[in-house]
Amino acid sequence: MSVGREVVFNQNGQIVSFEESHLYNRNVQQWIYNAAERGIYDIRGLGAKRRVPHFDDLTFLTASLTRYPLEGYREKCSTKTILGTRYAKKPIELDIPITFAGMSFGSLSANVKEALGRAATAMGTSTTTGDGGMTEEERQSSKTLVYQCLPSRYGFNPDHLRKADAIEVVVGQGAKPGGGGMLLGQKISERVAKMRTLPPGIDQRSACRHPDWTGSDDLTIKIEELREITDWEIPIYVKFGATRVKDDVKLAVKAGADVVVVDGMQGGTAATQDVFIEHAGIPTLAAITQAVEALEEMDVKGKVQLIISGGIRTGADVAKALALGADAVSIGQGAMFALGCNSPVWYDKNGKPISAVKDYEKLGTKPGFCHHMQSGKCPVGITTQDPDLEQRMQPEWGARRLRNYLQVLNFELTTMARACGKSDVHHLEREDLVALTVEAAAMAKIPLAGTNWIPGSSGL
Amino acid sequence: MCGIVGLLLKDPDKQDFLGEYGTEMLVGMATRGCDSAGLAAYTNEVSEEGVRKFSLYSSSDSIDWNALTKAMREDLDCEIDLKANYNHAVIVPYGPADIVWRWLFENCPEVHILSIGRSIEVYKDVGHPAEIAERYNLRGLSGSHLVGHTRMATESAVTWAHAHPFTVGEDFCLVHNGSLSNPHSLRRMLERKGIHFDTDNDTEAAARFLEWRLREGDDMETALKAAFRELDGFYTLLIGTNNELALVRDAFACKPAVVAENEGYVAIASEFRSLAHLPDVQNADVFEPMPEEIYVWNKQSVVAS
Amino acid sequence: MEQTVRGGKLMWDLRERSVRELNYYLHHNAVKNGITEVQIFNPDGAHHIAVGLDAPIKVDILGNAGYFVGGMNKQAHITVHGNVGWSVAENIMSGVVRVKGYASECAGASGHGGLLVIEKDASSRCGISMKGNDIVVGGSVGHFSAFMAQAGHLVVCGNAGDGLGDSLYEAVIYVRGEIRSLGADAQEEPMAEDDYKTLAALLEKAGFKHHPEDFKRIASAKKLYHWNAEHYQEY
C-alpha cells in the first residue's frame, strides 16, 4: 500500500508532489468505487494479506556452551508423531509432524487431491478431505486420510466414514471463523455437483452451523455418535478458527475431542468474503499460546494433541509452532504454492515450462498477486474443475513437488531441533525461543530478545 | 452450554419425592456438562411476617455453622433455624431480614448468600452433578417445585459463583442453556442503573435484566417479552419464583428443551433422558416449547399461557 | 453378548447392556448370527441407539429414544415406539426409520436416501440440509424446516412453521395444512401429475390415508442459484 508523498514529473519536467490520504488511499478509493459500482462484497481465496505478528518475529536460542548441539544427519532426531491417544483404539502414527490441511475436491482438482495423497503417503504423514466428500483418488493414494465432517455434509456418508483413519469435525476455519462458504458456479462441474447433490453450475452456499447439533453440549453427543458408528476405533479431531481460543479449546476437550486443530487468522480458504479473511480471528502466534494454556490448565497436555495451522510456510515455522507447544502442524496454502500457485509457468507432460501470464491477465491479475481461487480458472491448474486447465497439474509432478517441500520443511525442523540439542523434535520448548518484537513477545508470551521481559507479565 | 431441569409437582402427595425425582433429573443431564451443578428447591415456606430464609455458601470448608448461628442469635437476639451441609447452610432467622443480611456481611466475609426468600433454597458448587447431589443430600429435599442445572462453562470461569441457578431478588432464580451474544452491553446498561453484578457470567445478565423488569412493575410475561427484544444469542431459560416455573426459548430455538406434563407434575429438561425415570411418564403429554413462546406453570393452577 | 436370541430374534434390555455394546453387536455380529429382528427395551431417552447399521434387519425400540437414533442408517427398518430427541435418522442413506411419537429438532438432517416417517409432530429444522431422503410427517413441522434442502421430499400432513424451505435447492415440500411463512427463495407451485404420483406413493409407504389433492407443492424459486447483487441478495 503506497501512502504519503509521491513525486511525479509533469509534461514540462517539473516536479509535482502529490499527497495521498492515509485513510482514503488509492486502494481504499478503489474498494469504494467497486462497492458502489457492483453492490456486492468481494469474494476471494487465499488468506489474510495484512501483516500480523507471526513466527517470523521469533528466533531460536540454539546451543553454544550451555547446551550441546547434536550432529546434523548423524545423530538421531526423531520426528515421529502420534495423534489421537485419548479415546481412539487406533491412534494416528505419523513419521513427521507436518500434515496436509483439509481442502475440498471442488475447490481443488482431483489431480491435486491425488498429488497430496501421494506425497503424504511417501513422507509418512496424513492428508485431509474437504467440503465436498472423499474422492476415490485421494483414498487410494493416501495411507492416512482424515475425513472431515463439515456443516454442509456434502457427500458425507457412512461408507467413507468407515474408510477414514480419523474424523475431523470442522466447526470453523481461520480464514472465516463463524462463516459459511461460497463456491461459485464455474467450479461446480458435473462431478462436483454429483458429489454434493447440487445442480451443476449454480453458486453454492455452505452453511455456517452444522445441521444436526448446535453448541458444545450437543457437540459432545455428536462426537459420541461418530464414535458409536466407527466402534470407538479412530480418533476424532475438532477444528475451529482462532477467536476465543482458550475457551474454545476447553470446550472441544470437554466435548470429547482426541485432537484439537486451531487455525489462525492467516489460514487460507478457497472462497469467502474479503472482510472475513482480513478482519476476523486472531493471529496463529497468539492462538497457539492460548491453546496450549487451555490444555495445560485442564491438565490434558500430551493427552489431547494440538495441531496448529494458519500460515505455516517453512521448517522454521514448524519448529517454532512445536516449541510453543503444538504436537503437529497443518499446511494448506504452503502446499498450494509448492504446486505452483501464483507461478508464472506451468509444466507440460515433458517437463517443458509454459507461460501462464496471459491467463493471469484474463483474471485481471498477474503471477504473485493472484487470489482468484473462487473463479475456477486457475492458470496453473490447481484450483479448477476445468478439464483443460486441470491437466496443467499432473499428479506425479505435483506429488514430487509436495514431497520435496515436506522434506525441506522436515530437514529445517530437525536442523533447528538438533541445534537446540534435541533428539526429538517434540522436545523443543518455549524457552528455546525469544521474540524480536514487542507485539510477538506479548502475543506468544515469549521474552523479548536480550531481556526477561514478557509484556503483560508481572515478572522482571 | 448446559443441561437444565425443572419440576413442579401438582400432586401434594408426591412433594416428599421432589428431591428424589429432581436428583435423577439433574444427574441425567450430567452428559451436557459436569463442570458444576446447582439446584433451587421451593420448600418449607416461611409464613411469619418479615421473616426470610437464607441459603448460604462458605468459601472456607472449615466453617462452623453452629458457632455462626450462635453468635448471630446472641447479637441479634432472635431464634434461628439451621440446616447445615458442609459449606452450605440454610438458616431462618426470626428477625428482620435486612439486619440479618448486614450482620452476615459485616461478620462473616467468607459466607456468601446464595438466595433469600420465603421458600427458595439453593445448592450449587463445582463438581460432577452426582457428587454435588450426594454432598448436599439433594435427594432428601421435599417441596412444590425445583429448578436445576448442569454446566459446561463457555466463556466465564468454573467457580461456585458462576454455577447456576442465578438468584436475584427474593425467591427468584434462573438457569440457562445456550450462550448470549450481547451480555456485556446488557450488563453495562444495568450497571448504569445501579445494579450490582457478582460474576461475569452471561446468565447473570439475563437474570438481573428480568429482575430489573419485574421490579419496575412488569409481570413475568411482559418482562420476558422485553427479554426477547434485548437478549441476543441462543438461549433456553427456565425461571423459578415462589409460585411458578416459566420457560422460554429464543427465536432460533437451537438449544433443546422438552416438557412432559400429566396430572401429577410438569417436568422440563434439556433432553428426554432426564425425564425417563419419572412415574408414568409414558402417558404424559410430551412436547417441545416453541420459539419465543412463554410457558408459565403456576403452583396452584397449572396453565400454559 | 446378546441377551436373548429366539429364532433370529434378539431381545436387548438397555438397562442391562449398554448402547455401545448394542451398536457393536448390530455392526459386527447380528448378520453373522442370523439375526433378522431386534427388540430393544428400556431405551429411556438414550442417545445413538442403532446408529450406523448396514443390514436389512428390523429393529423395534420400545420406548423413547434420545439424540441421533437410527443415524446414518443403511438398509435397516427401525421403528421407535415413542418419541425421539434431536436429529433422528441424520444422514440416513437407505432403509426406513419410523417414529410412532414426536420428533425433536433436525429430524432427518442431511439424509441422502431412505425414508423417515414421523407419525406425530416434528420440531424445527425438520429435513434441514436433506440430500435425497424422503420424510413424511403425520403432524406438523416447526420453523425453518427443509432449510437448504438439496434433494428429496418432505411431506407434511399437518401445518408448517415459519421460514419453510428457506434457501431450498432441488428438494420438494408437500404441505397439507397451513404454512405460517415461507423462507427466502421458496415458493408455492402448482401440483403436476408427477407430484401426485410421488406424493401418493410416499403417503402409502408411510401409511397415511390423506388425498394428494389436499397438498400444496413448495419448491425453490431458484433466484438464489446465481448470486446477483442487483437483487440485493445475501447468503
Side-chain angles (χ1 to χ4, degrees):
Chain A
M1 191 180 291
S2 164
V3 176
R5 263 172 217 287
E6 189 167 320
V7 177
V8 180
F9 297 92
N10 69 11
Q11 285 169 332
N12 304 324
Q14 295 162 321
I15 289 176
V16 181
S17 168
F18 297 99
E19 189 153 20
E20 188 178 5
S21 164
H22 182 91
L23 206 56
Y24 291 92
N25 61 45
R26 275 165 294 179
N27 288 343
V28 174
Q29 288 172 26
Q30 193 56 50
W31 186 88
I32 295 174
Y33 298 153
N34 286 346
E37 172 74 20
R38 304 208 308 262
I40 58 173
Y41 36 59
D42 282 338
I43 286 199
R44 69 165 174 91
L46 230 56
K49 294 192 174 189
R50 59 155 81 199
R51 194 204 179 292
V52 296
H54 194 45
F55 295 116
D56 284 343
D57 304 320
L58 303 177
T59 183
F60 275 103
L61 303 178
T62 46
S64 48
L65 279 176
T66 66
R67 303 275 174 99
Y68 313 142
L70 302 185
E71 288 291 353
Y73 311 110
R74 281 182 283 279
E75 287 172 336
K76 145 188 164 320
C77 181
S78 169
T79 56
K80 199 173 170 62
T81 300
I82 298 175
L83 303 169
T85 53
R86 189 185 187 191
Y87 293 121
K89 288 182 206 155
K90 295 178 181 166
I92 298 290
E93 291 188 25
L94 303 176
D95 294 338
I96 59 171
I98 310 159
T99 65
F100 286 134
M103 290 176 279
S104 74
F105 168 68
S107 73
L108 301 181
S109 73
N111 282 349
V112 174
K113 291 299 280 179
E114 186 183 338
L116 286 162
R118 287 195 196 190
T121 301
M123 289 300 292
T125 189
S126 64
T127 187
T128 312
T129 64
D131 197 0
M134 185 189 284
T135 65
E136 277 313 307
E137 291 94 329
E138 70 181 331
R139 178 61 279 186
Q140 294 291 325
S141 60
S142 308
K143 178 171 167 276
T144 306
L145 182 60
V146 182
Y147 187 40
Q148 287 192 326
C149 176
L150 292 125
S152 72
R153 302 288 165 84
Y154 293 136
F156 196 70
N157 71 64
D159 301 325
H160 287 163
L161 194 62
R162 286 185 276 258
K163 281 186 194 168
D165 299 296
I167 304 165
E168 183 169 280
V169 179
V170 180
V171 178
Q173 66 186 86
K176 46 183 172 184
M182 175 70 138
L183 192 59
L184 297 181
Q186 49 269 49
K187 293 182 84 166
I188 311 286
S189 67
E190 288 284 345
R191 183 176 175 198
V192 171
K194 189 154 179 279
M195 278 180 71
R196 299 184 184 210
T197 329
L198 287 169
I202 69 161
D203 295 338
Q204 163 247 292
R205 299 148 270 155
S206 298
C208 66
R209 292 201 309 270
H210 281 254
D212 55 348
W213 62 272
T214 309
S216 52
D217 41 13
D218 289 339
L219 172 59
T220 313
I221 307 171
K222 182 67 197 174
I223 288 177
E224 212 174 74
E225 186 215 13
L226 293 169
R227 289 199 196 281
E228 283 292 321
I229 292 171
T230 54
D231 297 318
W232 294 70
E233 291 200 328
I234 59 178
I236 297 186
Y237 303 5
V238 173
K239 174 181 177 171
F240 49 82
T243 55
R244 294 177 171 89
V245 177
K246 208 165 182 178
D247 291 324
D248 286 338
V249 167
K250 287 184 178 178
L251 286 170
V253 171
K254 287 179 199 171
D258 292 303
V259 174
V260 181
V261 185
V262 180
D263 193 18
M265 76 177 285
Q266 299 103 307
T269 177
T272 198
Q273 295 98 322
D274 179 75
V275 65
F276 247 137
I277 302 179
E278 297 291 356
H279 299 279
I282 66 170
T284 307
L285 190 64
I288 184 171
T289 298
Q290 288 218 335
V292 171
E293 280 178 3
L295 294 175
E296 283 172 347
E297 282 173 21
M298 294 183 85
D299 196 22
V300 292
K301 182 85 181 70
K303 188 175 166 195
V304 174
Q305 284 80 28
L306 174 67
I307 300 180
I308 284 290
S309 59
I312 305 282
R313 307 148 301 169
T314 63
D317 289 346
V318 180
K320 288 167 187 174
L322 262 54
L324 288 172
D327 294 281
V329 300
S330 217
I331 50 176
Q333 293 170 89
M336 293 191 19
F337 284 110
L339 290 168
C341 175
N342 266 295
S343 161
V345 294
W346 56 277
Y347 296 87
D348 73 7
K349 282 176 183 160
N350 305 316
K352 191 177 142 217
I354 297 173
S355 174
V357 174
K358 284 218 170 65
D359 294 319
Y360 283 103
E361 278 168 11
K362 282 186 211 155
L363 290 170
T365 186
K366 48 187 178 179
F369 297 89
C370 181
H371 57 219
H372 296 284
M373 291 76 176
Q374 81 288 350
S375 71
K377 299 193 174 90
C378 179
V380 290
I382 300 169
T383 57
T384 184
Q385 295 298 320
D386 181 288
D388 294 327
L389 288 175
E390 71 180 6
Q391 295 308 317
R392 295 183 181 183
M393 212 302 298
Q394 290 299 315
E396 306 78 33
W397 182 88
R400 184 170 55 79
R401 302 267 302 193
L402 287 166
R403 200 174 60 235
N404 286 345
Y405 176 53
L406 285 178
Q407 195 147 292
V408 172
L409 292 186
N410 203 48
F411 277 149
E412 285 194 345
L413 167 64
T414 52
T415 299
M416 203 50 87
R418 283 193 179 96
C420 289
K422 321 283 182 181
S423 60
D424 186 324
V425 294
H426 297 290
H427 295 166
L428 285 164
E429 52 193 5
R430 25 192 320 113
E431 288 73 11
D432 295 321
L433 291 169
V434 291
L436 299 172
T437 66
V438 175
E439 286 86 351
M443 285 189 191
K445 297 186 185 163
I446 292 290
L448 192 65
T451 76
N452 293 322
W453 181 51
I454 299 172
S457 79
S458 54
L460 284 172
Chain B
M1 302 293 158
C2 315
I4 63 174
V5 298
L7 179 65
L8 188 149
L9 296 170
K10 303 182 209 173
D11 177 357
D13 294 343
K14 287 213 164 64
Q15 296 196 350
D16 283 348
F17 300 102
L18 183 76
E20 196 67 47
Y21 298 148
T23 300
E24 284 296 325
M25 293 172 76
L26 189 73
V27 174
M29 283 299 89
T31 48
R32 301 189 67 83
C34 56
D35 293 335
S36 59
L39 190 119
Y42 292 84
T43 177
N44 300 326
E45 184 164 349
V46 178
S47 52
E48 287 83 350
E49 188 65 34
V51 173
R52 293 291 180 271
K53 191 196 284 188
F54 291 74
S55 298
L56 305 176
Y57 181 99
S58 166
S59 42
S60 153
D61 282 341
S62 55
I63 182 107
D64 182 343
W65 293 111
N66 284 314
L68 183 147
T69 34
K70 184 160 174 278
M72 185 189 266
R73 199 174 283 137
E74 282 164 7
D75 285 359
L76 303 183
D77 192 24
C78 68
E79 275 310 302
I80 301 168
D81 295 343
L82 167 71
K83 185 171 76 170
N85 259 319
Y86 302 98
N87 57 347
H88 277 60
V90 175
I91 60 168
V92 182
Y94 292 87
D98 54 336
I99 293 175
V100 172
W101 185 88
R102 196 171 317 132
W103 188 91
L104 283 167
F105 182 76
E106 283 166 4
N107 293 285
C108 312
E110 76 280 23
V111 170
H112 309 270
I113 298 171
L114 293 179
S115 68
I116 303 176
R118 288 187 174 278
S119 61
I120 192 170
E121 290 181 13
V122 169
Y123 302 85
K124 65 179 186 179
D125 213 339
V126 172
H128 192 279
E131 186 192 323
I132 285 162
E134 182 72 28
R135 195 186 308 158
Y136 303 116
N137 188 27
L138 300 183
R139 282 183 194 278
L141 290 167
S142 61
S144 52
H145 55 297
L146 62 76
V147 166
H149 188 267
T150 64
R151 179 165 186 242
M152 183 187 280
T154 45
E155 287 181 24
S156 59
V158 179
T159 73
W160 67 268
H162 288 81
H164 304 215
F166 278 85
T167 55
V168 288
E170 290 195 359
D171 284 311
F172 179 98
C173 80
L174 178 148
V175 295
H176 167 210
N177 177 22
S179 175
L180 299 182
S181 61
N182 64 340
H184 301 290
S185 47
L186 268 180
R187 178 193 171 115
R188 280 188 288 273
M189 183 269 283
L190 293 168
E191 278 177 339
R192 283 197 297 275
K193 297 182 191 302
I195 291 167
H196 169 79
F197 277 72
D198 293 327
T199 71
D200 57 348
N201 190 307
D202 59 338
T203 306
E204 188 176 349
R208 296 215 179 267
F209 177 84
L210 286 170
E211 199 254 344
W212 168 64
R213 287 316 316 157
L214 293 171
R215 195 149 34 83
E216 292 288 310
D218 284 1
D219 58 18
M220 182 65 85
E221 193 170 332
T222 315
L224 286 168
K225 281 183 177 159
F228 290 144
R229 288 193 299 273
E230 299 296 330
L231 269 53
D232 205 349
F234 292 174
Y235 53 87
T236 298
L237 299 176
L238 177 61
I239 296 150
T241 68
N242 204 14
N243 295 313
E244 59 201 8
L245 289 182
L247 176 70
V248 290
R249 300 169 83 197
D250 67 82
F252 303 101
C254 277
K255 298 315 295 177
V258 58
V259 180
E261 185 165 7
N262 62 19
E263 283 179 1
Y265 56 80
V266 176
I268 300 146
S270 299
E271 294 177 45
F272 184 81
R273 65 189 322 192
S274 266
L275 309 177
H277 303 279
L278 292 173
D280 201 32
V281 74
Q282 290 77 8
N283 298 315
D285 182 18
V286 177
F287 68 96
E288 223 169 77
M290 302 285 282
E292 290 201 330
E293 292 272 332
I294 297 167
Y295 298 81
V296 180
W297 293 274
N298 191 286
K299 223 161 62 171
Q300 278 79 34
S301 57
V302 180
V303 187
S305 72
Chain C
M1 180 189 284
E2 69 274 31
Q3 299 216 292
T4 326
V5 181
R6 248 182 260 126
K9 190 167 173 180
L10 168 73
M11 326 273 253
W12 190 289
D13 186 345
L14 283 174
R15 287 194 187 154
E16 305 290 326
R17 293 267 187 196
S18 70
V19 170
R20 194 164 158 183
E21 289 171 289
L22 169 69
N23 283 328
Y24 189 89
Y25 185 92
L26 295 176
H27 296 165
H28 301 281
N29 299 333
V31 172
K32 204 165 65 191
N33 293 344
I35 301 291
T36 54
E37 274 186 63
V38 183
Q39 282 196 327
I40 298 165
F41 298 89
N42 297 311
D44 293 343
H47 304 144
H48 326 306
I49 299 173
V51 294
L53 302 195
D54 190 3
I57 54 175
K58 186 171 174 291
V59 178
D60 285 281
I61 299 165
L62 304 169
N64 300 296
Y67 279 43
F68 298 121
V69 55
M72 299 197 101
N73 185 57
K74 285 180 82 180
Q75 303 189 66
H77 280 53
I78 301 170
T79 305
V80 183
H81 299 262
N83 307 317
V84 296
W86 272 48
S87 305
V88 54
E90 69 87 21
N91 221 112
I92 180 174
M93 304 300 291
S94 63
V96 180
V97 175
R98 178 181 288 273
V99 178
K100 293 280 194 181
Y102 298 93
S104 185
E105 296 197 21
C106 312
S110 279
H112 286 68
L115 174 68
L116 168 65
V117 181
I118 294 152
E119 296 194 356
K120 292 183 179 169
D121 296 337
S123 178
S124 49
R125 300 181 187 84
C126 177
I128 179 175
S129 182
M130 55 196 279
K131 296 172 168 62
N133 53 326
D134 294 318
I135 304 177
V136 184
V137 181
S140 299
V141 296
H143 68 277
F144 262 74
S145 286
F147 175 63
M148 281 185 129
Q150 295 170 224
H153 305 92
L154 171 63
V155 179
V156 183
C157 300
N159 305 321
D162 277 320
L164 180 71
D166 194 284
S167 305
L168 262 183
Y169 291 100
E170 300 286 285
V172 177
I173 309 168
Y174 302 108
V175 185
R176 184 164 160 270
E178 299 294 315
I179 298 166
R180 199 152 156 189
S181 67
L182 289 175
D185 212 28
Q187 65 180 10
E188 190 180 334
E189 296 177 351
M191 293 280 284
E193 206 46 48
D194 278 354
D195 290 307
Y196 290 120
K197 265 193 232 161
T198 308
L199 184 53
L202 283 170
L203 287 169
E204 199 194 332
K205 266 208 262 183
F208 295 113
K209 294 196 189 321
H210 304 295
H211 296 291
E213 293 78 23
D214 298 341
F215 286 77
K216 299 182 263 289
R217 173 192 156 101
I218 308 298
S220 176
K222 305 188 180 181
K223 288 195 179 120
L224 288 176
Y225 274 28
H226 295 285
W227 197 43
N228 188 338
E230 301 301 314
H231 289 94
Y232 295 96
Q233 286 177 346
E234 286 192 63
Y235 79 94

